[in-house]
mmCIF file of all heavy atoms in Angstrom:
data_model
loop_
_atom_site.group_PDB
_atom_site.id
_atom_site.type_symbol
_atom_site.label_atom_id
_atom_site.label_comp_id
_atom_site.label_asym_id
_atom_site.label_seq_id
_atom_site.Cartn_x
_atom_site.Cartn_y
_atom_site.Cartn_z
ATOM 1 N N PHE A 377 -118.998 19.796 -93.007
ATOM 2 C CA PHE A 377 -119.506 21.149 -92.811
ATOM 3 C C PHE A 377 -121.004 21.130 -92.535
ATOM 4 O O PHE A 377 -121.496 21.804 -91.623
ATOM 5 C CB PHE A 377 -119.231 22.011 -94.048
ATOM 6 C CG PHE A 377 -117.907 22.703 -94.056
ATOM 7 C CD1 PHE A 377 -116.784 22.074 -94.562
ATOM 8 C CD2 PHE A 377 -117.781 23.984 -93.567
ATOM 9 C CE1 PHE A 377 -115.558 22.705 -94.584
ATOM 10 C CE2 PHE A 377 -116.561 24.634 -93.571
ATOM 11 C CZ PHE A 377 -115.436 23.999 -94.086
ATOM 12 N N LYS A 378 -121.750 20.352 -93.331
ATOM 13 C CA LYS A 378 -123.200 20.298 -93.156
ATOM 14 C C LYS A 378 -123.564 19.765 -91.777
ATOM 15 O O LYS A 378 -124.481 20.273 -91.119
ATOM 16 C CB LYS A 378 -123.817 19.418 -94.249
ATOM 17 C CG LYS A 378 -123.834 20.069 -95.625
ATOM 18 C CD LYS A 378 -124.475 19.150 -96.662
ATOM 19 C CE LYS A 378 -124.542 19.827 -98.027
ATOM 20 N NZ LYS A 378 -125.130 18.942 -99.059
ATOM 21 N N ALA A 379 -122.865 18.738 -91.320
ATOM 22 C CA ALA A 379 -123.164 18.144 -90.013
ATOM 23 C C ALA A 379 -122.899 19.128 -88.888
ATOM 24 O O ALA A 379 -123.681 19.248 -87.943
ATOM 25 C CB ALA A 379 -122.338 16.873 -89.823
ATOM 26 N N LEU A 380 -121.799 19.865 -88.978
ATOM 27 C CA LEU A 380 -121.424 20.770 -87.895
ATOM 28 C C LEU A 380 -122.186 22.083 -87.934
ATOM 29 O O LEU A 380 -122.319 22.764 -86.923
ATOM 30 C CB LEU A 380 -119.910 21.022 -87.935
ATOM 31 C CG LEU A 380 -119.082 19.826 -87.460
ATOM 32 C CD1 LEU A 380 -117.667 19.897 -87.996
ATOM 33 C CD2 LEU A 380 -119.050 19.762 -85.941
ATOM 34 N N PHE A 381 -122.718 22.465 -89.099
ATOM 35 C CA PHE A 381 -123.468 23.704 -89.202
ATOM 36 C C PHE A 381 -124.971 23.478 -89.151
ATOM 37 O O PHE A 381 -125.750 24.381 -89.425
ATOM 38 C CB PHE A 381 -123.101 24.448 -90.494
ATOM 39 C CG PHE A 381 -121.959 25.410 -90.317
ATOM 40 C CD1 PHE A 381 -120.660 24.945 -90.213
ATOM 41 C CD2 PHE A 381 -122.174 26.769 -90.233
ATOM 42 C CE1 PHE A 381 -119.599 25.820 -90.043
ATOM 43 C CE2 PHE A 381 -121.130 27.655 -90.062
ATOM 44 C CZ PHE A 381 -119.829 27.179 -89.971
ATOM 45 N N ALA A 382 -125.408 22.268 -88.814
ATOM 46 C CA ALA A 382 -126.837 21.992 -88.695
ATOM 47 C C ALA A 382 -127.447 22.931 -87.658
ATOM 48 O O ALA A 382 -126.953 23.070 -86.551
ATOM 49 C CB ALA A 382 -127.052 20.544 -88.278
ATOM 50 N N GLY A 383 -128.531 23.591 -88.014
ATOM 51 C CA GLY A 383 -129.177 24.518 -87.087
ATOM 52 C C GLY A 383 -128.593 25.910 -87.092
ATOM 53 O O GLY A 383 -129.087 26.796 -86.407
ATOM 54 N N PHE A 384 -127.520 26.136 -87.849
ATOM 55 C CA PHE A 384 -126.883 27.452 -87.853
ATOM 56 C C PHE A 384 -127.572 28.409 -88.810
ATOM 57 O O PHE A 384 -127.313 29.607 -88.794
ATOM 58 C CB PHE A 384 -125.400 27.299 -88.241
ATOM 59 C CG PHE A 384 -124.546 28.470 -87.869
ATOM 60 C CD1 PHE A 384 -124.154 28.677 -86.562
ATOM 61 C CD2 PHE A 384 -124.127 29.373 -88.828
ATOM 62 C CE1 PHE A 384 -123.362 29.745 -86.217
ATOM 63 C CE2 PHE A 384 -123.330 30.458 -88.497
ATOM 64 C CZ PHE A 384 -122.947 30.646 -87.190
ATOM 65 N N GLY A 385 -128.443 27.863 -89.685
ATOM 66 C CA GLY A 385 -129.236 28.717 -90.542
ATOM 67 C C GLY A 385 -128.667 28.961 -91.915
ATOM 68 O O GLY A 385 -129.145 29.827 -92.637
ATOM 69 N N TYR A 386 -127.631 28.224 -92.292
ATOM 70 C CA TYR A 386 -127.039 28.391 -93.602
ATOM 71 C C TYR A 386 -127.272 27.160 -94.464
ATOM 72 O O TYR A 386 -127.153 26.031 -93.989
ATOM 73 C CB TYR A 386 -125.528 28.635 -93.490
ATOM 74 C CG TYR A 386 -125.182 30.024 -93.036
ATOM 75 C CD1 TYR A 386 -125.051 30.317 -91.692
ATOM 76 C CD2 TYR A 386 -124.998 31.047 -93.958
ATOM 77 C CE1 TYR A 386 -124.746 31.590 -91.263
ATOM 78 C CE2 TYR A 386 -124.688 32.329 -93.542
ATOM 79 C CZ TYR A 386 -124.558 32.593 -92.196
ATOM 80 O OH TYR A 386 -124.262 33.858 -91.778
ATOM 81 N N GLU A 387 -127.586 27.397 -95.717
ATOM 82 C CA GLU A 387 -127.611 26.315 -96.684
ATOM 83 C C GLU A 387 -126.185 26.121 -97.174
ATOM 84 O O GLU A 387 -125.568 27.042 -97.727
ATOM 85 C CB GLU A 387 -128.528 26.658 -97.858
ATOM 86 C CG GLU A 387 -128.605 25.566 -98.905
ATOM 87 C CD GLU A 387 -129.487 25.939 -100.083
ATOM 88 O OE1 GLU A 387 -129.991 27.090 -100.105
ATOM 89 O OE2 GLU A 387 -129.666 25.090 -100.968
ATOM 90 N N ILE A 388 -125.628 24.937 -96.955
ATOM 91 C CA ILE A 388 -124.243 24.663 -97.308
ATOM 92 C C ILE A 388 -124.171 24.157 -98.750
ATOM 93 O O ILE A 388 -124.816 23.181 -99.113
ATOM 94 C CB ILE A 388 -123.625 23.622 -96.354
ATOM 95 C CG1 ILE A 388 -123.722 24.093 -94.891
ATOM 96 C CG2 ILE A 388 -122.180 23.337 -96.742
ATOM 97 C CD1 ILE A 388 -122.990 25.375 -94.606
ATOM 98 N N LYS A 389 -123.378 24.847 -99.556
ATOM 99 C CA LYS A 389 -123.133 24.422 -100.929
ATOM 100 C C LYS A 389 -121.627 24.320 -101.148
ATOM 101 O O LYS A 389 -120.839 24.885 -100.387
ATOM 102 C CB LYS A 389 -123.750 25.406 -101.930
ATOM 103 C CG LYS A 389 -125.270 25.460 -101.894
ATOM 104 C CD LYS A 389 -125.826 26.345 -103.003
ATOM 105 C CE LYS A 389 -127.351 26.313 -103.016
ATOM 106 N NZ LYS A 389 -127.919 27.120 -104.124
ATOM 107 N N ASN A 390 -121.250 23.594 -102.217
ATOM 108 C CA ASN A 390 -119.840 23.544 -102.567
ATOM 109 C C ASN A 390 -119.667 23.868 -104.046
ATOM 110 O O ASN A 390 -120.632 24.222 -104.740
ATOM 111 C CB ASN A 390 -119.206 22.204 -102.187
ATOM 112 C CG ASN A 390 -119.765 21.031 -102.984
ATOM 113 O OD1 ASN A 390 -120.396 21.204 -104.025
ATOM 114 N ND2 ASN A 390 -119.525 19.836 -102.489
ATOM 115 N N LEU A 391 -118.453 23.754 -104.544
ATOM 116 C CA LEU A 391 -118.181 24.167 -105.916
ATOM 117 C C LEU A 391 -118.860 23.282 -106.947
ATOM 118 O O LEU A 391 -118.997 23.687 -108.110
ATOM 119 C CB LEU A 391 -116.663 24.185 -106.155
ATOM 120 C CG LEU A 391 -115.870 25.176 -105.284
ATOM 121 C CD1 LEU A 391 -114.395 25.147 -105.665
ATOM 122 C CD2 LEU A 391 -116.422 26.588 -105.387
ATOM 123 N N ASN A 392 -119.276 22.090 -106.550
ATOM 124 C CA ASN A 392 -120.025 21.241 -107.475
ATOM 125 C C ASN A 392 -121.383 21.842 -107.813
ATOM 126 O O ASN A 392 -121.987 21.488 -108.831
ATOM 127 C CB ASN A 392 -120.198 19.838 -106.893
ATOM 128 C CG ASN A 392 -118.872 19.118 -106.753
ATOM 129 O OD1 ASN A 392 -117.968 19.313 -107.556
ATOM 130 N ND2 ASN A 392 -118.741 18.295 -105.718
ATOM 131 N N ASP A 393 -121.884 22.738 -106.941
ATOM 132 C CA ASP A 393 -123.146 23.424 -107.211
ATOM 133 C C ASP A 393 -122.954 24.619 -108.144
ATOM 134 O O ASP A 393 -123.930 25.227 -108.584
ATOM 135 C CB ASP A 393 -123.781 23.904 -105.902
ATOM 136 C CG ASP A 393 -124.142 22.756 -104.979
ATOM 137 O OD1 ASP A 393 -124.900 21.878 -105.417
ATOM 138 O OD2 ASP A 393 -123.650 22.731 -103.832
#
Side-chain angles (χ1 to χ4, degrees):
F377 272 88
K378 287 181 178 179
L380 287 158
F381 269 75
F384 198 76
Y386 284 90
E387 180 182 3
I388 303 299
K389 294 186 176 183
N390 66 17
L391 298 183
N392 295 327
D393 297 303

